[in-house]
Amino acid sequence: MKIVLGSDHAGFELKEDLRAYLSALEIDALDLGAHGQEACDYPDVAGKVAETVAGGGAERGLLICGTGIGMSIAANRFAGIRAALCHDPFTARLSRE
């Protein structure tokens, strides 16, 4: 499975932890930013992730930001994308069912 990752500056550290975790599981993870803790525009990152998933470049995308709300809204603007704000494995599983 290929997963694409994206975050804003507030979610950078968590994204880096997730990238390392996925690598340890030998899951291919494409990192589309942020690439540091400098301020960035989350809609741009969410758009790159959404376009990659919608275009078939990855099976799933993970978006991380300060609250998760902005990333979800931005990603859901793309055809074929259904982004959900998840806080735990239970809500993540329900978002896929």
Side-chain angles (χ1 to χ4, degrees):
M1 174 181 282
K2 186 170 188 177
I3 295 177
V4 62
L5 303 172
S7 74
D8 68 355
H9 53 282
F12 173 73
E13 287 184 29
L14 177 57
K15 179 186 59 73
E16 292 298 298
D17 289 345
L18 284 170
R19 190 165 55 93
Y21 176 74
L22 293 170
S23 177
L25 295 175
E26 298 184 358
I27 295 174
D28 188 16
L30 174 62
D31 183 356
L32 296 182
H35 299 293
Q37 294 182 332
E38 319 65 58
C40 67
D41 292 328
Y42 71 85
D44 295 339
V45 175
K48 290 177 190 176
V49 171
E51 287 176 339
T52 300
V53 173
E59 286 88 343
R60 297 280 186 264
L62 294 174
L63 295 166
I64 303 108
C65 70
T67 64
I69 296 168
M71 285 285 207
S72 298
I73 291 170
N76 278 322
R77 294 178 182 222
F78 291 80
I81 298 300
R82 300 293 177 262
L85 176 58
C86 303
H87 294 284
D88 53 46
F90 177 73
T91 54
R93 182 176 53 80
L94 288 179
S95 75
R96 303 307 313 153
E97 289 182 353

